[in-house]
Amino acid sequence: MENLRVYIDKLMAFWNGLGRTQKIAAAAGAGVFLLLLLFFSFRGEEKVVYAPLYTDLEPAEAGQVVMRLRQMNEPYQILGGGAIVMASEKRVDDLRVALAAEGLPQSGLIGYKLFDEAKLGMTEFLQKVNNQRAMQDEIAKTLSKIQWIQGTPRVQLSIPEPSLFTEQEKPVTASIMLPIRRGFRPEHNQVQGVALLVARAVPGLQENNVTIVDNTGRLLTEEADPLARQASKQMDLQRNVEAYLEKKAASVLEKITGRPDNFSVKVSVALDFNQAEQTMETYDPNATVLRSEERNEESSAEAGTKERTVSNYEINKTISKVVSAPGVIKRRSVSVTLDRPIDPQTSLPAPRPQTEVDNIRATIMAAVGYNASADQFEIRELAFDRTARAREEDAQRAAERSQLITDIVLNVAKGVAIIIALLVLRAIIGAIGRGVAREEEIAAAAVEGVAQEAAAEIMPETPHEITLGRIAQMISERPEDAARLIRTMLLEEAQKQRTQ
């Protein structure tokens, strides 16, 4: 307590030693600092939007990246069991550049650098193994540069030992796992390009011996069996056609119903993959053309001359050859389910008017190319389960209400804090003003006293004051004579006392 009192006394002494201008500047600076402190205290922490910084990292690599982010005081999140590191969306590009300058992350793919530290006395088996590892790493590095591949691919090569007999020689094979970007589905020519790239990088590897799967285990390369490959293509084509028709119908229904969860549409198609060739010959009996004519004349004395004519006509014939391409839609089956709207009066699901349902039916039929002779179309109205939607809406409203209350409380707290700060600042300025006024009073009193003294000095001197002034002047000008004079006066005073 004593130390605190000493510190306060020193502070007050320092404050009293300041001038008027210095005190006003110090008070203003303290007030501004207090306002800024309150503003930033109630401002609240800015919400960080995270984006993937790196994906498909090894645990050791993720640990290095996270440790560096901690040193840089950057916010981060770890997802995917430690394989994905998230960072602030605004800082992703800058962080990648900064970490890349420090050599992070280390992908672990060494490649042909493995032979930079080759040891003496390495056996032929180890050399072959290292060569295979280097080839796998170099191929993975090359594949990781492809735009739609996100992360580090895994490449496994199987290179058998060469055999003296051709019929006993086993082929070189490759197995590749590609981490594909989410939501992307590579096309056939892209997968074929990857397989061809790998086949050209490994001696003795054929393109059909490369197996490629994605990170979900889905086979991307074609089957070795021609029948299985053809069936896979046909299924892919059927799924693409169904998805295309469903998308067309959904785009129309979303504009009609207003929301994508107010309807359900499914399309099933049957495709004809038979390639048929048909030749038709059409004859027109009404259209004839003279092809040849033969005339014979016979003359005799009895019958005279007889003429016989034989005409050959060709009937008009049309030959047409029709080759139907495989993949023609034979039949469409369309199923549309509509959610019943809520009646504003009863707050219960109510059926739509039949005319509205018929109009929706006609619109969807036209969108999918409905053929009445072969296709099937069904449309139904049902009351969808709104429990999940109601929970989502309630949760959203609760979150909005909570956010609104939080904003109101923060704004009120900011206002109260600003008012308190202004009152404190006003009190400080008032105290400074009162102190300055007191100092001015003291200064005025001092000036008045000096003026009075000066006025007193200006008044005429008395004879006694004149004598004292002369004596003081003599003492200052002739101190030795003054000392002798004082000594003489003292001796005379002493002799008078003895005689008495």
Side-chain angles (χ1 to χ4, degrees):
M1 183 61 70
E2 187 66 25
N3 295 332
L4 180 61
R5 186 177 296 107
V6 173
Y7 178 76
I8 294 175
D9 293 339
K10 290 182 179 180
L11 185 62
M12 294 300 297
F14 173 76
W15 175 259
N16 295 327
L18 296 177
R20 176 183 178 184
T21 306
Q22 293 175 337
K23 289 181 179 180
I24 294 176
V32 172
F33 175 76
L34 181 60
L35 289 176
L36 291 176
L37 181 63
L38 292 173
F39 173 75
F40 286 107
S41 298
F42 291 100
R43 184 181 179 182
E45 185 178 358
E46 184 180 359
K47 185 177 180 181
V48 180
V49 179
Y50 289 95
L53 179 64
Y54 295 109
T55 59
D56 197 21
L57 292 177
E58 298 294 335
E61 300 172 358
Q64 295 175 357
V65 172
V66 168
M67 184 179 298
R68 188 66 185 99
L69 291 177
R70 287 178 181 173
Q71 296 174 357
M72 298 170 67
N73 294 325
E74 294 287 346
Y76 66 90
Q77 287 182 348
I78 301 176
L79 302 177
I84 301 175
V85 178
M86 309 285 288
S88 175
E89 186 178 15
K90 299 179 181 179
R91 294 274 298 156
V92 165
D93 296 335
D94 296 337
L95 290 176
R96 286 177 180 171
V97 173
L99 294 175
E102 300 179 8
L104 294 175
Q106 298 177 355
S107 63
L109 300 177
I110 302 175
Y112 287 109
K113 293 182 181 179
L114 184 65
F115 294 99
D116 294 343
E117 301 177 358
K119 298 180 181 180
L120 296 177
M122 184 179 296
T123 62
E124 182 180 0
F125 174 75
L126 290 179
Q127 289 181 353
K128 290 182 179 180
V129 171
N130 289 340
N131 182 56
Q132 183 172 338
R133 289 175 55 194
M135 291 174 62
Q136 294 175 170
D137 291 349
E138 291 295 335
I139 293 173
K141 285 182 181 180
T142 303
L143 296 180
S144 63
K145 302 300 181 182
I146 299 177
Q147 184 178 5
W148 48 271
I149 295 179
Q150 187 175 14
T152 305
R154 302 283 296 177
V155 179
Q156 299 291 335
L157 299 177
S158 177
I159 304 177
E161 293 292 334
S163 177
L164 297 176
F165 302 98
T166 306
E167 61 274 7
Q168 296 180 358
E169 188 173 357
K170 297 180 180 179
V172 181
T173 59
S175 301
I176 302 174
M177 191 278 291
L178 299 179
I180 299 176
R181 188 174 68 244
R182 181 176 298 179
F184 181 80
R185 185 181 179 90
E187 299 180 357
H188 173 68
N189 57 346
Q190 293 175 318
V191 178
Q192 188 177 5
V194 172
L196 187 61
L197 177 65
V198 176
R200 295 296 183 268
V202 181
L205 179 60
Q206 299 296 326
E207 181 184 354
N208 55 358
N209 290 330
V210 179
T211 303
I212 303 176
V213 298
D214 62 4
N215 46 358
T216 63
R218 179 167 53 93
L219 182 64
L220 301 179
T221 51
E222 295 181 346
E223 294 282 351
D225 188 2
L227 296 177
R229 184 166 60 249
Q230 184 178 3
S232 178
K233 289 182 178 180
Q234 292 176 358
M235 290 297 297
D236 290 340
L237 179 59
Q238 181 177 346
R239 282 194 294 265
N240 292 336
V241 173
E242 292 174 349
Y244 172 72
L245 295 177
E246 288 179 0
K247 185 177 180 181
K248 290 182 65 176
S251 63
V252 177
L253 289 171
E254 185 173 355
K255 294 180 179 179
I256 295 175
T257 59
R259 292 183 56 172
D261 55 353
N262 286 336
F263 64 88
S264 174
V265 56
K266 294 297 180 182
V267 179
S268 177
V269 298
L271 303 180
D272 186 6
F273 293 101
N274 296 324
Q275 185 174 3
E277 181 177 348
Q278 184 178 8
T279 303
M280 296 183 295
E281 294 185 5
T282 305
Y283 296 93
D284 188 3
N286 297 323
T288 58
V289 178
L290 180 62
R291 183 178 182 181
S292 61
E293 187 178 21
E294 182 180 355
R295 294 182 180 182
N296 295 323
E297 292 184 359
E298 295 180 358
S299 300
S300 62
E302 298 177 356
T305 303
K306 294 182 179 179
E307 183 178 356
R308 186 175 59 182
T309 304
V310 178
S311 300
N312 295 321
Y313 292 92
E314 190 72 28
I315 301 174
N316 188 15
K317 181 176 66 174
T318 302
I319 300 176
S320 59
K321 186 175 183 180
V322 179
V323 179
S324 60
V328 178
I329 299 178
K330 295 191 302 182
R331 185 178 63 258
R332 301 175 183 84
S333 297
V334 183
S335 173
V336 177
T337 305
L338 300 176
D339 186 17
R340 289 183 175 178
I342 300 298
D343 190 353
Q345 297 180 356
T346 62
S347 300
L348 296 175
R352 289 180 171 84
Q354 187 60 37
T355 55
E356 182 180 352
V357 177
D358 294 339
N359 291 333
I360 295 175
R361 181 197 305 271
T363 303
I364 302 303
M365 285 182 177
V368 300
Y370 175 76
N371 185 5
S373 61
D375 297 346
Q376 182 181 3
F377 189 94
E378 292 291 338
I379 183 170
R380 293 287 185 272
E381 270 195 301
L382 298 174
F384 287 4
D385 185 8
R386 300 175 181 269
T387 305
R389 185 192 302 181
R391 284 198 298 266
E392 293 178 359
E393 294 177 353
D394 292 342
Q396 183 178 1
R397 284 194 294 267
E400 292 176 354
R401 190 183 305 108
S402 176
Q403 184 64 33
L404 178 61
I405 294 174
T406 303
D407 294 339
I408 293 175
V409 170
L410 288 177
N411 292 330
V412 171
K414 290 179 183 178
V416 172
I418 292 173
I419 293 173
I420 293 175
L422 292 175
L423 293 176
V424 172
L425 183 61
R426 179 182 177 183
I428 293 174
I429 294 175
I432 294 173
R434 289 191 297 272
V436 171
R438 180 59 180 168
E439 291 179 357
E440 291 178 352
E441 293 177 359
I442 294 173
V447 170
E448 184 178 358
V450 172
Q452 292 177 357
E453 293 178 359
E457 291 177 357
I458 296 175
M459 294 177 62
E461 300 178 349
T462 61
H464 178 70
E465 291 176 350
I466 294 172
T467 303
L468 292 177
R470 290 177 179 178
I471 293 172
Q473 183 178 3
M474 183 187 69
I475 292 172
S476 61
E477 293 177 356
R478 295 181 296 174
E480 296 178 356
D481 294 340
R484 286 195 294 269
L485 178 60
I486 293 172
R487 190 181 305 112
T488 301
M489 293 175 64
L490 293 174
L491 291 174
E492 291 178 354
E493 184 68 23
Q495 291 177 359
K496 288 180 179 181
Q497 290 178 358
R498 292 193 198 100
T499 57
Q500 293 177 357

